[in-house]
DNA sequence: CGCCAGGCCTGCACGC
DNA sequence: TGCGTGCAGGCCTGGC
């Protein structure tokens, strides 16, 4: 499941290969993603040059002149470079062929992904404009988290997964960051003070940065087409470890469903 | 064979 | 009335 570190790894891998390149052809094999791929995407993109590849939350932004190709990988999407003559396989829904001979391919078995075109500033697109601060930027800090949670009655774990509060923190990293900050996922967000939010902001950034570093180590394989073999999953401290001993205190980790998502935590360390 | 995770948008219910 | 918030539903398929 691509979380923010995988999306950022994808961005870093693709950027040097597509920036400055011109789109020669667009092949859409299946338009039925979470929203239909625009019918006129090929007409719009062909002949355009990619100026930059950016990321906002988990959205990839291919800046191309006065518009932007916005791509979201959902939970099973992969975007990578294939050989120009590589035969498409099942779930390979879209190819972007560039005039430099490179082909960027989207594979998304569950089709929760998204491909759309936006003319004008993509940050003002309806899906992007109300997203909270980037977790790797200084905009994510104790002041913001504290202020933005005063009126919330819900648990901190659910708040962390609200994209309007913070961009791009998914279930795995919400679990991991809360463990590292020693905060109980059930704790109401409004009851957390400035100091603990400072710690949490630091741990969120730390966890995501480490994961990006680990994803970076498999960057070559990924872009080469071997799929996403990032190594950070070996470093999860609580995620998917219900019943296992806490690395910190040895107490058995607990698992439960919170806001329709699996939560894992240490009942002794996280208060 | 049937269930269900998973991101995240959408629509609805609710309280101030 | 309107707005922010919370909650549940829906989209899909691979893997158990």
């Amino acid at each position: 499941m691509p979380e923010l570190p995988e999306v950022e790894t994808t961005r870093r891998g693709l950027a040097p290969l597509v920036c400055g390149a011109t789109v020669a052809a667009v092949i859409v094999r299946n338009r039925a993603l979470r929203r239909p791929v625009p019918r006129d995407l090929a007409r719009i993109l062909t002949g355009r040059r990619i100026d930059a590849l950016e990321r906002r939350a988990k959205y990839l932004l291919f800046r191309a002149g006065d518009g932007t190709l916005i791509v979201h990988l959902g939970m099973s999407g992969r975007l990578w470079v294939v050989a120009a003559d590589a035969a498409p396989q099942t779930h390979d829904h879209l190819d972007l062929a560039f005039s430099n001979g490179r082909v960027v391919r989207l594979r998304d078995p569950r089709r929760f992904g998204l491909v759309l075109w936006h003319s004008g500033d993509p940050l003002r697109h309806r899906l992007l404009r109300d997203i909270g601060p980037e977790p790797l930027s200084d905009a994510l800090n104790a002041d913001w988290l504290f202020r933005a949670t005063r009126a919330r009655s819900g648990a901190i774990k659910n708040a962390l997964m609200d994209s309007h509060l913070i961009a791009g923190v998914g279930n795995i990293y919400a679990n991991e960051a809360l463990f590292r900050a020693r905060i109980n996922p059930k704790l109401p967000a409004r009851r957390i003070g400035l100091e603990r939010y400072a710690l949490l902001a630091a741990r969120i950034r730390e966890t995501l940065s480490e994961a990006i570093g680990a994803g970076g180590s498999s960057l070559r394989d990924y872009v080469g087409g071997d799929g996403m073999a990032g190594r950070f999953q070996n470093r999860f401290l609580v995620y998917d470890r219900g019943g296992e001993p806490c690395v910190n205190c040895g107490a058995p980790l607990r698992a439960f469903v919170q806001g329709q998502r699996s939560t894992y935590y240490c009942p002794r360390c996280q208060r």
Side-chain angles (χ1 to χ4, degrees):
Chain A
M1 23 57 230
E3 291 237 24
L4 188 145
E6 289 75 37
V7 177
E8 177 62 18
T9 298
T10 298
R11 188 194 70 77
R12 293 181 185 185
L14 291 182
L17 305 177
V18 302
C19 290
T22 300
V23 178
V26 179
I27 299 165
V28 181
R29 300 184 192 85
N30 187 352
R31 296 177 57 236
L33 302 187
R34 195 168 82 217
R35 294 165 166 219
V37 176
R39 247 175 227 293
D40 51 355
L41 190 67
R43 183 184 60 74
I44 294 169
L45 273 181
T46 304
R48 278 186 190 259
R49 198 181 86 112
I50 305 300
D51 303 313
L53 177 52
E54 298 169 3
R55 179 187 59 74
R56 176 76 171 109
K58 295 178 193 168
Y59 294 90
L60 287 167
L61 309 176
F62 293 79
R63 302 253 189 187
D66 57 1
T68 304
L69 180 73
I70 303 176
V71 176
H72 194 288
L73 298 177
M75 61 161 292
S76 62
R78 290 174 177 181
L79 199 60
W80 80 114
V81 172
V82 298
D85 59 350
Q89 297 179 31
T90 322
H91 309 307
D92 287 350
H93 308 311
L94 182 138
D95 284 355
L96 296 179
F98 290 90
S99 51
N100 62 15
R102 295 199 165 99
V103 175
V104 170
R105 178 161 287 173
L106 173 70
R107 176 178 300 171
D108 185 6
R110 296 191 184 174
R111 287 191 271 130
F112 281 17
L114 200 61
V115 173
L116 47 93
W117 174 258
H118 181 75
S119 44
D121 182 0
L123 301 183
R124 293 169 73 173
H125 188 279
R126 198 170 46 82
L127 295 176
L128 298 180
R129 70 182 173 207
D130 294 324
I131 290 179
E134 281 294 320
L136 299 176
S137 78
D138 293 339
L140 176 72
N141 54 45
D143 284 338
W144 164 253
L145 290 175
F146 183 78
R147 256 191 311 120
T149 52
R150 289 314 87 188
R152 295 186 84 111
S153 60
I156 181 60
K157 165 83 175 338
N158 295 338
L160 285 187
M161 296 182 60
D162 181 347
S163 63
H164 300 295
L165 185 68
I166 311 175
V169 175
N171 193 40
I172 292 173
Y173 294 99
N175 278 297
E176 295 294 316
L178 285 170
F179 175 74
R180 291 182 183 216
R182 298 192 166 217
I183 294 172
N184 189 309
K186 293 181 225 180
L187 194 60
R190 72 196 318 169
R191 291 187 40 209
I192 298 175
L194 262 176
E195 279 188 30
R196 296 197 89 189
Y197 270 130
L199 179 66
L200 181 57
R203 293 299 177 255
I204 291 169
R205 198 167 305 148
E206 170 192 275
T207 309
L208 292 171
S209 299
E210 283 180 23
I212 290 170
S217 67
S218 65
L219 200 59
R220 254 171 307 143
D221 290 346
Y222 178 64
V223 173
D226 286 351
M228 204 175 299
R231 298 183 307 183
F232 194 75
Q233 63 272 18
N234 304 323
R235 293 204 230 153
F236 293 156
L237 300 179
V238 291
Y239 182 77
D240 207 21
R241 291 188 183 275
E244 295 182 30
C246 169
V247 295
N248 203 32
C249 76
L253 298 177
R254 284 202 191 139
F256 69 104
V257 174
Q258 186 178 27
Q260 301 167 291
R261 291 293 177 284
S262 305
T263 295
Y264 304 89
Y265 77 112
C266 173
R268 194 186 291 174
C269 293
Q270 293 174 257
R271 297 289 176 175

